[in-house]
Amino acid sequence: MHDYAEEVLALVQAKNPAEPEFHQAVREVVESVERVIERHPEYRAAKILERMVEPERVIIFRVPWVDDQGEIQVNRGFRVQMNSAIGPYKGGLRFHPSVNLGILKFLAFEQVFKNALTTLPLGAGKGGADFDPKGKSEGEVMRFCHSFMSELYRHIGPHTDVPAGDIGVGGREIGFLFGAYKRLRNEFSGVITGKGINWGGSHVRPEATGYGCVYFAAEMLATRSDTLQGKTCLVSGAGNVALHTLEKLIQLGAKPVTCSDSTGFIYDEQGIDAQKLAWLREIKNVRRGRVQEYTERYPQASYTAFVPGASSSPQWDVRAQCAFPCATQNEINEEDARHLLANGVTCVVEGANMPCTSEAVKTFLDAGILFAPGKAANAGGVATSGLEMSQNAMRVCWLPEEVDDRLRTIMRSIHAACMDAAAAYGTPGNYVNGANIAAFIKVADAMLDQGVV
Ligand code: NDP
């Protein structure tokens, strides 16, 4: 069986050269599901894995726009429509200079498994552009989004492909994208999620990824008769996922002490409370500034700038019990993982997509600590997007408590599905295997049912 797994990985590497993040994401899944394929030769016979690693469709397009100086700018737009076996393609759009096809393929591949875990009928896709909204005027961001949608609109639709936000795509960008789609199609439909609450959005969607992560952490701790109450927590990032993770941690009585952006991190030993979080929100969402500005109002906190190319990050070398990496992929390497363990961390929950390198994940699993992969822990965002789609289809708007209740129930089911699948395949407590196996079986069975498509 090991030979078959290596064969699939070799094929992926040969067909997708220079896409290391995609290789990394595929390897992790293949290593988990080889034990399933051993028990179920029908998956191998139907070449399920070979089909899953090949996107159903990839769209690459030019995004020309005019900046405030009247200069023409050209970016590259993408949509990877990865798998529609269990529902319409669903997954976010990322606007960041690092965006390329390999990054989006890794994200789209992860999305297949994440969406299957949500219990909802959601296929998987991911898209974006190598555009950086940071430092751009409102007018520039709007013109870019309108140009981006003037091509994307022909490939998406409420029953085909429903994008949402991701890094660099928040409420503002979703508004501009939706406005352009509506105008081009002359149709008001649930074609994109993360919309404003007054125009088809769902309560709790902005909060859902961060809240979901914390709900997942609470479920994991409960398996060891423990809670988040009083736990010192490290959080990275200061965007959508990080800020709502901080909010829920504070609500549940934990003590978050860090957050970061791409230039550095702040450490507030006394804890980030609700009032300090309000200041962070103002910095990020109103001033569109840097986390360093936190220390202007709270000088007892320290700010440490990151050193480009450093072998480890000082933000993971702080005494704590839990860590929530919520910024970006591969932000925790093996050395960081060892620092976290040495500092007393016994629970790591991935808020971002694949924030831990494969070596870091292995370090955590070998140490026997609680480790939640992003595809399970951060699935609350896409799950609530699924709930937004349901509300749009029914033309209703559920109350915040109702959506939050559903989110909690979904996170509880994901946790249970991971535990059950891990145990059924001989690796109890291994959430990486559990998430990959439970999701793989669901998608693979749907693919078998639908024949060779
Ligand atoms: P945002 O754009 O809102 O925030 C991203 C944050 O991470 C910012 O603080 C940003 O800092 C920081 N960051 C980005 N790149 C880097 C980097 N290379 N090094 C250090 N810090 C970095 O994005 P989200 O919060 O939406 O997304 C964060 C992660 O969560 C991503 O991995 C995303 O794929 C994942 N995710 C998001 C979901 C959602 O619902 N939004 C759902 C599921 C997963 P700076 O401002 O300096 O760039």
Side-chain angles (χ1 to χ4, degrees):
M1 177 49 48
H2 204 64
D3 288 350
Y4 172 58
E6 287 305 329
E7 233 172 73
V8 173
L9 287 168
L11 178 84
V12 167
Q13 284 168 6
K15 281 181 112 176
N16 307 273
E19 294 180 356
E21 294 84 3
F22 182 47
H23 305 165
Q24 182 183 338
V26 173
R27 175 175 286 280
E28 187 206 279
V29 169
V30 170
E31 283 176 356
S32 290
V33 304
E34 54 183 348
R35 42 182 70 70
V36 181
I37 295 173
E38 208 158 72
R39 247 188 241 177
H40 294 277
E42 65 273 23
Y43 294 140
R44 184 171 177 177
K47 295 226 164 53
I48 294 292
L49 259 186
E50 290 89 333
R51 285 197 265 158
M52 275 189 186
V53 297
E54 194 65 36
E56 289 180 13
R57 191 176 298 104
V58 174
I59 301 137
I60 302 183
F61 51 100
R62 176 169 72 198
V63 189
W65 56 284
V66 180
D67 70 17
D68 286 348
Q69 283 67 49
E71 286 267 337
I72 295 168
Q73 302 288 341
V74 183
N75 286 97
R76 182 171 289 178
F78 305 86
R79 187 73 183 163
V80 178
Q81 297 180 330
M82 198 76 193
N83 194 304
S84 62
I86 61 168
Y89 308 110
K90 179 91 198 85
L93 297 171
R94 176 175 290 191
F95 292 168
H96 193 272
S98 63
V99 164
N100 58 42
L101 188 56
I103 295 273
L104 294 177
K105 270 155 71 179
F106 121 62
L107 289 165
F109 186 74
E110 289 281 290
Q111 199 84 41
V112 174
F113 301 88
K114 180 188 314 197
N115 292 6
L117 289 171
T118 63
T119 70
L120 303 173
L122 301 171
K126 198 84 189 188
D130 57 352
F131 168 77
D132 192 355
K134 272 205 290 289
K136 305 287 191 302
S137 71
E138 293 283 306
E140 288 176 326
V141 172
M142 183 182 75
R143 290 195 292 280
F144 175 82
C145 288
H146 286 179
S147 178
F148 183 86
M149 188 53 85
S150 74
E151 174 56 35
L152 187 68
Y153 84 99
R154 41 182 125 249
H155 309 288
I156 62 175
H159 304 291
T160 311
D161 185 352
V162 183
D166 190 72
I167 290 179
V169 179
R172 174 182 64 172
E173 290 77 14
I174 293 289
F176 295 147
L177 291 162
F178 181 77
Y181 181 88
K182 181 165 62 71
R183 185 170 193 204
L184 288 160
R185 283 264 193 228
N186 191 26
E187 158 189 308
F188 195 111
S189 62
V191 68
I192 193 160
T193 56
K195 299 186 289 299
I197 194 69
N198 293 332
W199 42 279
S202 172
H203 285 293
V204 192
R205 173 61 190 92
E207 294 86 353
T209 309
Y211 280 19
C213 270
V214 179
Y215 293 151
F216 198 90
E219 291 293 321
M220 293 171 87
L221 287 165
T223 65
R224 297 190 178 180
S225 308
D226 204 351
T227 71
L228 280 161
Q229 182 72 37
K231 294 271 185 310
T232 301
C233 300
L234 309 179
V235 176
S236 67
N240 176 285
V241 180
L243 293 178
H244 293 109
T245 296
L246 288 168
E247 183 176 308
K248 190 49 77 178
L249 284 172
I250 296 165
Q251 284 173 13
L252 296 189
K255 183 181 157 196
V257 291
T258 60
C259 70
S260 63
D261 57 25
S262 52
T263 41
F265 82 104
I266 59 126
Y267 172 45
D268 188 339
E269 200 180 354
Q270 294 167 14
I272 300 171
D273 60 19
Q275 201 181 359
K276 294 170 179 175
L277 177 60
W279 173 231
L280 266 176
R281 279 193 206 291
E282 190 174 328
I283 295 169
K284 294 307 287 183
N285 299 336
V286 182
R287 295 160 63 131
R288 297 202 182 265
R290 314 304 301 158
V291 292
Q292 183 170 12
E293 293 162 39
Y294 181 93
T295 57
E296 285 172 15
R297 197 168 285 184
Y298 300 104
Q300 82 284 354
S302 63
Y303 171 76
T304 308
F306 294 138
V307 178
S311 65
S312 65
S313 169
Q315 72 181 321
W316 304 120
D317 204 354
V318 176
R319 197 115 203 106
Q321 283 112 33
C322 306
F324 293 80
C326 296
T328 193
Q329 63 272 1
N330 292 331
E331 53 172 313
I332 295 183
N333 63 22
E334 187 177 354
E335 200 175 327
D336 296 319
R338 280 207 223 95
H339 289 160
L340 284 166
L341 294 175
N343 276 296
V345 168
T346 54
C347 176
V348 177
V349 182
E350 292 192 326
N353 284 311
M354 211 168 76
C356 301
T357 64
S358 312
E359 297 77 22
V361 174
K362 187 169 180 316
T363 305
F364 294 137
L365 294 178
D366 287 350
I369 67 160
L370 294 170
F371 173 77
K375 59 173 74 84
N378 72 31
V382 72
T384 309
S385 278
L387 300 179
E388 183 173 329
M389 289 162 71
S390 305
Q391 292 169 78
N392 291 165
M394 293 190 283
R395 302 229 181 276
V396 295
C397 182
W398 294 331
L399 294 171
E401 307 76 58
E402 190 172 353
V403 182
D404 194 36
D405 273 356
R406 286 177 192 262
L407 170 63
R408 264 174 195 251
T409 305
I410 289 172
M411 296 315 296
R412 217 170 281 137
S413 323
I414 297 174
H415 180 268
C418 292
M419 291 285 281
D420 291 351
Y425 282 87
T427 56
N430 182 326
Y431 290 86
V432 176
N433 284 343
N436 288 331
I437 291 170
F440 174 82
I441 292 173
K442 179 169 178 182
V443 179
D445 285 347
M447 290 173 75
L448 282 183
D449 289 346
Q450 293 167 26
V452 183
V453 289

